[in-house]
């Protein structure tokens, strides 16, 4: 059965519920704090990518994982029972992303929202879709796709989670492939509008 989340009227980190769905918990909104700050993105090292891939694979299997080696922590999510949030530890804000895991889930669905600052409204839509579909995980960005890092000489954007190969988001997606293989179904939420959004 197809599920169509109700689009919100604003892209702000609101805790108001969308119609027929659940709100984005405050801890998820806090994880995105400072995400429009220019040049805040720091790409993970090769070792951090490897560790992130392995750790996210473990979390998807409902196993404990050491996430400190790539500067993150795992915390419970108030208001969403049986879920955990992987986020940057302490005051660290380098655009590593946020990752929600549903404990004990056997779902093959993972919801992703890689442009929550640029694609208007996709953060609350992603939260709503994750809850409605009972997906196994929800991955979202925590830094603006263009403001987070300067464009390279080859016109690439290192903080663009939908395209950049060196992000924790990409490592997590690779970890999901390792866990779920061909059964993996990724639902990536993107916004659109008649006007250019910044």
């Amino acid at each position: 059965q197809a599920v169509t989340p109700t689009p919100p009227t604003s892209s702000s980190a609101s805790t108001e519920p969308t119609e027929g769905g659940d709100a984005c918990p405050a801890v998820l909104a806090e994880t995105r704090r400072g995400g429009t700050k220019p040049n805040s993105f720091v790409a993970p090292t090769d070792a951090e990518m490897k560790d992130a891939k392995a750790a996210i694979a473990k979390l998807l299997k409902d196993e404990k994982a050491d996430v400190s080696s790539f500067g993150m922590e795992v915390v419970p999510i108030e208001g969403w029972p049986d879920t955990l949030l992987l986020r940057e530890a302490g005051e660290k804000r380098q655009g590593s992303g946020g990752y929600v895991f549903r404990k004990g889930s056997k779902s093959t669905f993972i919801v992703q929202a890689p442009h929550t600052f640029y694609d208007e409204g996709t953060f609350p839509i992603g939260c709503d879709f994750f809850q409605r579909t009972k997906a196994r995980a929800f991955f979202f960005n925590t830094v603006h796709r263009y403001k987070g890092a300067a464009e390279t000489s080859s016109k690439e954007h290192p903080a663009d989670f939908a395209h950049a190969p060196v992000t924790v988001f990409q490592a997590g997606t690779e970890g999901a492939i390792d866990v779920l293989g061909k059964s993996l179904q990724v639902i990536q939420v993107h916004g659109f509008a008649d006007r250019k959004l910044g």
Side-chain angles (χ1 to χ4, degrees):
Q1 177 178 334
V3 179
T4 306
T6 304
T9 57
S10 169
S11 62
S12 65
S14 171
T15 57
E16 290 299 312
T18 56
E19 184 181 339
D22 295 314
C24 287
V27 68
L28 270 67
E30 171 62 19
T31 300
R32 297 171 66 249
R33 181 174 52 83
T36 59
K37 182 180 177 183
N39 301 315
S40 57
F41 175 72
V42 176
T45 65
D46 288 346
E48 288 170 335
M49 286 284 287
K50 182 179 178 181
D51 289 350
K53 179 180 175 180
I56 290 173
K58 285 186 175 183
L59 290 166
L60 285 165
K61 292 186 286 186
D62 203 15
E63 298 175 0
K64 289 186 178 180
D66 179 7
V67 299
S68 61
S69 65
F70 53 103
M72 299 186 85
E73 64 181 0
V74 176
V75 297
I77 302 174
E78 185 178 350
W80 279 4
D82 301 320
T83 61
L84 295 172
L85 171 64
L86 173 64
R87 66 179 183 185
E88 291 176 302
E91 292 300 308
K92 177 184 175 184
R93 290 291 186 273
Q94 297 182 343
S96 295
Y99 308 87
V100 178
F101 303 92
R102 195 180 303 280
K103 294 190 285 185
S105 176
K106 300 300 181 186
S107 173
T108 59
F109 286 99
I110 291 179
V111 176
Q112 294 186 343
H115 298 152
T116 63
F117 300 95
Y118 186 80
D119 291 354
E120 187 172 350
T122 59
F123 177 57
I125 289 173
C127 289
D128 184 71
F129 205 57
F130 169 72
Q131 287 293 74
R132 287 190 187 219
T133 60
K134 303 301 180 187
R136 194 179 193 124
F138 172 40
F139 295 1
F140 59 94
N141 71 322
T142 54
V143 67
H144 193 286
R145 66 187 293 193
Y146 296 138
K147 295 177 184 176
E151 183 181 71
T152 67
S153 58
S154 57
K155 304 294 183 184
E156 295 174 344
H157 299 277
D160 184 347
F161 279 17
H163 300 99
V166 187
T167 64
V168 174
F169 196 93
Q170 175 65 24
T173 302
E174 292 174 7
I177 292 169
D178 285 352
V179 172
L180 295 170
K182 291 182 179 179
S183 68
L184 173 63
Q185 299 176 77
V186 175
I187 304 166
Q188 200 169 92
V189 181
H190 290 270
F192 58 92
D194 292 335
R195 68 188 186 281
K196 184 176 181 181
L197 302 174

